[in-house]
Every structure is written in C-alpha cells, then in structure tokens.
C-alpha cells in the first residue's frame, strides 16, 4: 500500500492591526531616538545608550549624498543579524511604492516598516 499523504497546511491568515496596536507601536518609540546604524556593533551601542529602535542601512545619508546614490535599506541578512544581537525594535526602511521590498522586510520580522523616498 502507498503512503498516506498529509493534507497541506493552510497559510496563516493575517489579522488587520487594530487601532490599539497602532497606538501602542507609536508609544513604543515616543521619547527616544531611533538610531540609523550600518553594523551590528553600532546597533549594540545604540541599544546600550538607550535608543528606542534601530534602522539598519547599507550606507549613511552622508555617504549616499557624496556618492550620488539612492539611500537603501540594508539587505535581509544584516537586518536579521542586528535583530539576533539586540532586543530593541527594528524598523525596516523601504522605498515608496516598492511593495516587494516591504514584503521582504516583513518576512524578516521587523517591528515596523518605514516607507521613505
């Protein structure tokens, strides 16, 4: 006799975030700094000195301006590295209208997604 196949597991349904959840997220970052970092070491320092959250970027704004490039969020691997080494909330930065970038950041498990130009 053949093996019995298991039924496929349905994908989890996303629940829309309530107003209360959104307000609590805003309160989480109130009264503090959200540090923009480019490495795990910088994120650890930011956490140690009281940052409320971190945004991981590939380059700083100054470097992007100097090189005349677009300021992009970090790749998922470095985002996960920072999330594994710190306990503060992670903000994923994506370009306006780039839904695929937002989905990648969401799959990384960031706390919040910032859509920026």
């Amino acid at each position: 006799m053949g093996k019995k196949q298991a039924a496929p597991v349905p994908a989890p349904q996303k629940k829309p975030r309530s107003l209360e959840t959104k307000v609590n997220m805003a309160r989480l970052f109130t009264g503090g700094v959200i540090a923009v970092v480019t490495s795990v070491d910088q994120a650890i320092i930011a956490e140690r000195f009281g940052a409320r959250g971190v945004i991981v970027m590939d380059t700083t704004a100054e470097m992007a301006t100097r090189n005349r490039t677009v300021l992009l969020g970090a790749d998922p691997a470095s985002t996960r590295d920072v999330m594994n080494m710190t306990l503060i909330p992670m903000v994923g930065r994506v370009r306006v209208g780039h839904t695929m970038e937002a989905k990648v950041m969401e799959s990384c498990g960031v706390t919040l997604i910032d859509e920026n130009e």
Side-chain angles (χ1 to χ4, degrees), residues 39-54:
S39 68
V40 173
D41 293 334
Q42 290 178 356
I44 291 171
I45 291 168
E47 179 181 39
R48 193 173 295 152
F49 284 94
R52 295 287 184 148
V54 292

Side-chain angles (χ1 to χ4, degrees), residues 93-103 113-117:
R93 179 166 284 177
V94 299
R95 292 176 288 170
V96 173
H98 288 75
T99 55
M100 212 52 194
E101 287 180 14
K103 287 180 182 181
I113 295 177
D114 173 37
E115 195 175 37
N116 214 325
E117 289 185 31

Side-chain angles (χ1 to χ4, degrees), residues 65-81:
T65 303
R66 188 178 327 131
N67 298 334
R68 295 183 181 175
T69 59
V70 176
L71 189 62
L72 300 174
D75 65 302
S78 48
T79 300
R80 283 192 201 101
D81 289 344

